[in-house]
Amino acid sequence: MPWGDIWEFANLGFLIALLVSAVLARRWRLRQLGEAVAALPGDMRRLVGPEPYYLPPPEARQPEGLRGYAERYRQLKRVSRLLWGLVFLWLAAVFVVATVQTFGQGGVS
């Protein structure tokens, strides 16, 4: 088996692992947000957005009781954005390497 085939499968496997991680991180994030909203008092719970995203109100309109929730929301969002960023960065790297291998050696044969 030539090395090219092994690297293709490795790239595909790594990409699938990143995608699964990103999807699982999203599900984990939504579950964490649901638990955080359930822990809020009733009057504060009415101020957050609808399920499943539970968006906090804009910072200018946040009461003191929601500041901790809003910070937790931002922290959880960073995790998802980091994983999706890794997915797109890996796709871009594979695209660049494939393009260089294809066109950098005198064109398509």
Side-chain angles (χ1 to χ4, degrees):
M1 177 183 273
W3 282 103
D5 291 339
I6 292 172
W7 290 114
E8 288 174 19
F9 287 121
N11 283 336
L12 182 62
F14 187 68
L15 179 62
I16 289 172
L18 279 175
L19 285 171
V20 168
S21 298
V23 169
L24 289 177
R26 181 180 183 272
R27 291 180 63 196
W28 170 78
R29 176 179 167 260
L30 293 177
R31 189 173 58 245
Q32 293 290 320
L33 287 175
E35 292 173 4
V37 167
L40 289 172
D43 56 341
M44 296 293 167
R45 198 176 305 144
R46 286 189 289 273
L47 295 175
V48 298
E51 198 175 347
Y53 300 111
Y54 301 115
L55 293 170
E59 214 167 306
R61 296 188 310 138
Q62 280 178 7
E64 191 62 37
L66 272 183
R67 299 213 191 277
Y69 170 76
E71 180 59 32
R72 179 78 173 140
Y73 181 88
R74 285 190 293 274
Q75 288 173 350
L76 291 172
K77 196 168 196 165
R78 280 186 220 126
V79 172
S80 291
R81 285 185 176 169
L82 174 70
L83 284 172
W84 281 111
L86 286 174
V87 167
F88 291 119
L89 187 65
W90 183 256
L91 281 174
V94 169
F95 178 76
V96 167
V97 168
T99 303
V100 167
Q101 285 180 348
T102 302
F103 297 111
Q105 299 174 356
V108 180
S109 47

